[in-house]
């Protein structure tokens, strides 16, 4: 399964934020089950300072697991 709550965005000071809800976001990533080998696309919105350039997207696939993937943006 997946959810937009599986993702956080970390800024240069170490603050981590969850996605922001924007009502008119086209193709918003929601939550559902995903078969092994499947894929999904969607839009996620995060609110950050306009001048922020050091951002890391963090994916934590399960609340009960310590495994994460980090992507420098």
């Amino acid at each position: 399964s997946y959810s937009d709550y599986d993702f956080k965005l970390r800024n240069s000071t170490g603050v981590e934020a969850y996605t922001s809800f924007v009502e008119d976001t086209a193709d918003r990533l929601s939550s559902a089950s995903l078969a092994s080998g499947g894929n999904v696309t969607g839009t996620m919105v995060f609110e950050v300072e306009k001048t922020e350039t050091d951002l890391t997207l963090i994916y934590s696939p399960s609340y009960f697991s310590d495994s994460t993937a980090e992507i420098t943006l």
Side-chain angles (χ1 to χ4, degrees), residues 35-71:
S36 179
N39 63 60
V40 66
T41 61
T43 301
M44 296 183 296
V45 176
F46 295 91
E47 294 182 58
V48 297
E49 292 293 326
K50 191 181 236 183
T51 58
E52 185 66 65
T53 59
D54 184 19
L55 298 169
T56 303
L57 181 66
I58 303 166
Y59 172 65
S60 302
S62 170
Y63 180 79
F64 301 104
S65 172
D66 290 334
S67 67
T68 60
E70 297 189 8
I71 303 165

